[in-house]
Amino acid sequence: LSGGEAQRLRLASLLGSGLTGVLYIMDEPTAGLHPRDTAGLIAVMKKLRDLGNTVLVIEHDVDVMRAADHVIDMGPGAGYLGGRVVAAGTLAQLQEHPESVTGAYLREESLPAPERRRRPGNGRRLTIRGASLHNLKNVTVSLPLGCLVSVTGVSGSGKSTLLFDLLAVAGEGGNWRGGCDGIDGLEHVENWITVDQSPLGRMQRSNVATYTDVFTHIRQLYAGLPEAKRAKLTSKHFSFNSPGGGCEHCQGLGFVTLDMNFLPSMEVRCPSCKGRRFQEDVLAVAYKGRTISDLLDLTVQESLAVLEDEDRIAPAIRLLCDVGLGYLQWGQSIATLSGGEAQRIRLAKQLSRKSTRHTLYLLDEPTTGLHPADVKRLLVLLNRL
């Protein structure tokens, strides 16, 4: 079963149980659903409510918001820019609220969408012939290259089978034979990149700066300063992962883990470096009055004022701000990013790399978990690619 099918099946079983007085908490139940399927899901949630239950839903879908009896809008932004209740009440009250981003979007939604320039493509195509894997019934699909191509359809109609079980497997050099008669045009694509919403990693040492490769340039910048040269510090010393650079007590993590025996382990700020990660001689070097630890504590947006003159760093900062990730801290662990944030930072990293090779990006439901305002920012990324 697809994700959408499995979710509806579970809800149907709950409805069949006939329980009352239950609080149901659902996290984005429309994820992976076609708008046609969403209507059925809303009907099920209303039936659960009418039995005498409470249904609490985290949701970005406009149709679910319109169907809700009460809407709570969190915000106003993400990360440090959010964390409070902006508006609460009926849909009409939300639309009238001056500070609600969601309310503004719901008001604007009735306006006609601006006409976009449609790309003709480069004239080449990828063609999957006679696909018969899983529930695909001998279909032939032609995909124009040099375009933004959307593959849509109801939940369970075969979209993922076509793109990921056949096309992605072929691009990665795997065995796709047996699922279709053939795939034409593979020679036109030189690079294949699949982007999904899986976590970027669980390593506490990997942060926004290291993942986007910006930290390499920041270290080189600090190593080139006169104070660093006098102290014989190289770019290696400005890495909290390197011996001689990172604090020896916490190994550059900024915190130490205490074993609480029968309780969960606890993280406390390192008593030696006070959470600053680096050794004293490294922290003695400052750029525009900021140490490298101070810079990692800045958000991407805040760092633009400090680093706007650095040609190797400023474009990456502007790109992250353009796609709505300016609120992230450079030193923030990538393990703390949501699925939508992880996907956008992956795409931004790809976009910041200069490539002359024709690349095919395969994205699996990139708007999952994104607010309509974030979807607009994602489209900025996709159109640039």
Side-chain angles (χ1 to χ4, degrees):
L1 299 183
S2 71
E5 289 169 330
Q7 198 161 36
R8 279 180 294 163
L9 193 63
R10 183 153 180 255
L11 280 173
S13 68
L14 290 174
L15 192 60
S17 67
L19 290 171
T20 60
V22 178
L23 172 65
Y24 292 101
I25 302 178
M26 303 180 188
D27 192 5
E28 298 180 23
T30 63
L33 292 191
H34 187 274
R36 191 196 76 170
D37 302 322
T38 301
L41 179 75
I42 290 170
V44 171
M45 291 194 289
K46 284 185 172 178
K47 283 179 183 174
L48 287 171
R49 173 202 64 188
D50 295 342
L51 284 170
N53 302 304
T54 302
V55 183
L56 192 57
V57 189
I58 296 173
E59 193 51 83
H60 298 294
D61 188 272
V62 174
D63 292 331
V64 176
M65 288 185 220
R66 293 193 188 285
D69 303 309
H70 189 87
V71 186
I72 299 169
D73 187 25
M74 303 289 288
Y80 79 101
L81 298 171
R84 63 185 179 91
V85 176
V86 177
T90 63
L91 186 73
Q93 288 171 322
L94 196 72
Q95 287 175 315
E96 291 164 10
H97 200 284
E99 289 182 44
S100 172
V101 175
T102 307
Y105 181 82
L106 290 167
R107 283 198 310 272
E108 291 170 10
E109 210 205 13
S110 56
L111 300 174
E115 183 57 42
R116 287 198 172 276
R117 180 179 60 83
R118 305 293 170 187
R119 298 172 185 82
N122 58 17
R124 293 171 173 166
R125 289 177 174 268
L126 272 177
T127 304
I128 304 168
R129 292 184 284 106
S132 302
L133 191 62
H134 303 321
N135 56 346
L136 293 174
K137 295 179 176 62
N138 194 29
V139 296
T140 295
V141 180
S142 188
L143 306 165
L145 297 178
C147 294
L148 173 58
V149 182
S150 176
V151 179
T152 186
V154 296
S155 182
S157 58
K159 307 180 294 292
S160 297
T161 301
L162 187 73
L163 290 194
F164 291 93
D165 295 346
L166 287 175
L167 192 59
V169 170
E172 290 163 7
N175 183 22
W176 48 269
R177 290 166 179 81
C180 65
D181 295 338
I183 301 177
D184 303 328
L186 291 173
E187 69 278 3
H188 301 316
V189 180
E190 298 165 274
N191 205 11
W192 297 71
I193 293 172
T194 302
V195 181
D196 56 20
Q197 291 213 358
S198 59
L200 294 172
R202 289 276 164 252
M203 279 184 62
Q204 290 174 313
R205 292 189 173 277
S206 184
N207 58 34
V208 173
T210 57
Y211 183 80
T212 55
D213 300 329
V214 167
F215 198 45
T216 303
H217 301 307
I218 290 174
R219 284 164 42 212
Q220 290 169 353
L221 172 67
Y222 274 85
L225 295 173
E227 306 102 282
K229 289 178 178 175
R230 278 197 295 272
K232 295 182 179 176
L233 297 173
T234 64
S235 63
K236 184 188 80 170
H237 293 99
F238 289 95
S239 169
F240 50 81
N241 291 322
S242 300
C247 167
E248 290 178 358
H249 186 74
C250 64
Q251 308 301 313
L253 283 172
F255 61 85
V256 288
T257 305
L258 297 182
D259 184 7
M260 304 291 285
N261 291 329
F262 302 108
L263 295 170
S265 297
M266 194 169 82
E267 292 176 359
V268 295
R269 193 173 69 164
C270 173
S272 179
C273 67
K274 305 288 189 293
R276 301 184 77 191
R277 294 185 166 201
F278 295 90
Q279 294 186 16
E280 285 300 322
D281 55 342
V282 175
L283 293 172
V285 180
Y287 174 75
K288 293 185 178 178
R290 285 184 167 84
T291 67
I292 193 162
S293 178
D294 295 335
L295 199 63
L296 287 175
D297 287 340
L298 293 180
T299 64
V300 173
Q301 182 81 53
E302 290 167 342
S303 70
L304 185 58
V306 182
L307 299 166
E308 60 186 344
D309 300 330
E310 300 300 322
D311 295 339
R312 291 181 299 174
I313 304 172
I317 296 176
R318 292 192 184 98
L319 178 60
L320 289 169
C321 292
D322 286 349
V323 299
L325 295 176
Y327 62 87
L328 297 178
Q329 282 182 302
W330 284 120
Q332 184 176 336
S333 169
I334 59 166
T336 64
L337 301 184
S338 70
E341 288 170 332
Q343 192 167 47
R344 275 184 288 165
I345 207 167
R346 273 192 183 103
L347 286 171
K349 183 179 180 180
Q350 293 296 334
L351 193 55
S352 64
R353 290 175 172 170
K354 295 289 180 281
S355 175
T356 54
R357 304 169 73 197
H358 186 98
T359 304
L360 176 70
Y361 294 92
L362 278 168
L363 284 79
D364 191 10
E365 298 186 13
T367 60
T368 299
L370 294 189
H371 185 277
D374 295 321
V375 173
K376 288 183 179 178
R377 291 171 177 143
L378 176 74
L379 289 173
V380 169
L381 255 179
L382 297 184
N383 280 308
R384 284 199 193 178
L385 287 169

